[in-house]
Amino acid sequence: MKKVAILGGRRTPFVKAGTSFKDVSLLDLAKLNVEGTVEALGLPVEQIEELVYGTVLLNPRYPNLAREIVLRTKLSNQTNAHFVSNNCITGLVAASVLSDSIRSGRVSLGLAGGVEAMSKPTLTLSNQAEAFFLNFNYAKSLAEKLKLLSTFRPNFLFPKAPSPKEPSTGLTMGQHCELTTKEFNISREAQDHLALNSHLNASKAISDNLFQDEILPVGKVTADNLVRGNTTMEKLSALKPVFDRSERGTLTAGNSSALTDGASCFCLASEEKARELGREPIAFIEDIQFAAINPNDGLLMAPALAMNQLFEKNNLTMDQVDLFEVHEAFAAQVLANMDVWENSWYKFPQLKKLGKIPVEKLNLNGGSLALGHPFAATGGRLIISLANELKRKNLKTGVISVCAAGAMAAAVLIKRY
């Protein structure tokens, strides 16, 4: 099996939904991202064999968004294009699909990534409205149509935004996370402290120009706009809970990731292809593991299993990992999974204790709480950021963990040689 080299990647600025990118469509943001990445990396477009790209907030106008990107950029029309979508791990699913293609030798050079335009979600109708308009369309006679018109209600004309609720449970992700917070007795103070570190680390990374070679400007937008380097524990502790408004609620806008617009794209190649192109790989994707559990066991707790699988399969120990990138959907979710990695979990007694992640190895340049979380783009950001940081610090081993709606998760092992 061939090794999978990371040749580089770029992302757009991550911006709060409804702000800088509120008028930019899903497809336009993706096109800018992919074409900008190809140009920034100086890739030979005629040799890019595959694009694997996704989004979570689906637009039925583009059933294969990846192919539409190919046809609207400088990529060759002969470039294969595959669309993927799996909530917050979409970008890592894209990485897995392309990695498998390269390991098997089916392709040698490709792009992967994802985009989210949360400012412009596709609106739908209620179930009753959809049924009415479909039946009206199927009606063949005037009499049938007139009869159906008697069932029409004015509210059929009001569109619906995508629901934040889990289809299987009826609860939002935040409500599920509140349940986990109570199960693990995670304090509000601990959550706010993690959020504070995320913003301070991201602010320092910006001051040190660490994102300069990662971010592609989009028009006049050149930087992320969610980072609050001047936040404090006092400011964070003053925010009110938003998912459980009782005195027991602890999840706030400050310790939960925000709705975000953004896109990311990265280039993977076989080691042989990298050598042929005269490129030195930044790092290599060694392994990607996926896991899933019952949502009622903890919607965002599948990383507990995914990380365990990754460590066991690759004979890893905590002290062998130089850097960790743990996706911060919520501060509480990070803390709960870290608790399981350190102490195991009665719900899954087969899990081994992996140990404690040292704070000096965790999300050194900030995480999703500070930078934002455009669902399908987060995986690409993590791969790009971790690979660059390993190279910058001349370190060898990094691990990524991402939770996802539907009670799934992914864990990725990245190495430099």
Side-chain angles (χ1 to χ4, degrees), residues 308 311 318 339-345 349-356:
N308 221 273
F311 271 55
M318 274 293 182
D339 185 294
V340 174
W341 296 329
E342 183 179 0
N343 302 307
S344 196
W345 192 14
Q350 75 275 19
L351 295 179
K352 297 180 180 178
K353 295 181 181 180
L354 303 180
K356 185 175 183 178

Side-chain angles (χ1 to χ4, degrees), residues 86-334:
N86 192 347
N87 298 303
C88 306
I89 56 174
T90 295
L92 300 185
V93 172
S96 178
V97 172
L98 182 56
S99 293
D100 289 347
S101 292
I102 292 171
R103 289 188 206 283
S104 68
R106 188 168 61 82
V107 304
S108 59
L109 181 68
L111 300 169
V115 62
E116 222 63 65
M118 294 190 184
S119 296
K120 295 172 72 70
T122 300
L123 303 179
T124 60
L125 299 173
S126 66
N127 292 336
Q128 296 89 341
E130 287 181 359
F132 170 81
F133 287 112
L134 286 172
N135 289 330
F136 192 81
N137 182 64
Y138 293 142
K140 296 181 179 179
S141 68
L142 178 60
E144 288 177 319
K145 290 183 182 293
L146 289 173
K147 183 178 180 181
L148 280 169
L149 281 174
S150 67
T151 67
F152 176 80
R153 298 292 180 270
N155 62 6
F156 288 176
L157 299 177
F158 291 95
K160 295 179 61 178
S163 174
K165 295 182 178 180
E166 283 290 305
S168 62
T169 66
L171 299 178
T172 66
M173 193 178 294
Q175 289 170 327
H176 272 286
C177 197
E178 278 283 15
L179 295 175
T180 296
T181 302
K182 294 173 177 62
E183 177 185 345
F184 284 85
N185 295 313
I186 299 170
S187 70
R188 167 73 182 271
E189 182 181 9
Q191 296 175 58
D192 288 347
H193 185 70
L194 192 147
L196 176 65
N197 281 343
S198 185
H199 282 280
L200 295 181
N201 286 349
S203 181
K204 185 178 186 305
I206 292 170
S207 297
D208 293 342
N209 293 318
L210 300 188
F211 298 148
Q212 188 172 355
D213 294 330
E214 294 182 15
I215 295 180
L216 287 168
V218 176
K220 296 181 179 180
V221 185
T222 60
D224 307 315
N225 72 3
L226 282 152
V227 180
R228 299 187 298 279
N230 62 347
T231 194
T232 63
M233 282 294 287
E234 289 73 24
K235 291 179 180 179
L236 289 167
S237 63
L239 298 173
K240 295 182 179 180
V242 293
F243 299 106
D244 178 354
R245 297 181 185 276
S246 74
E247 67 280 359
R248 299 186 64 206
T250 58
L251 270 66
T252 69
N255 56 42
S256 307
S257 59
L259 297 178
T260 314
D261 296 330
S264 65
C265 180
F266 50 95
C267 178
L268 302 181
S270 67
E271 190 174 23
E272 295 81 2
K273 187 66 177 181
R275 192 179 304 116
E276 177 189 319
L277 295 173
R279 302 298 182 93
E280 179 185 354
I282 300 175
F284 293 86
I285 294 181
E286 290 290 300
D287 190 23
I288 302 178
Q289 291 290 315
F290 297 98
I293 63 176
N294 187 319
N296 292 310
D297 283 331
L299 185 75
L300 303 179
M301 293 303 297
L305 278 70
M307 186 82 88
N308 221 273
Q309 293 169 191
L310 187 78
F311 271 55
E312 184 173 357
K313 183 178 178 184
N314 294 279
N315 297 314
L316 273 180
T317 59
M318 274 293 182
D319 61 335
Q320 291 175 327
V321 181
D322 298 308
L323 295 175
F324 288 87
E325 287 285 348
V326 179
H327 165 48
E328 300 167 349
F330 302 91
Q333 162 263 319
V334 176

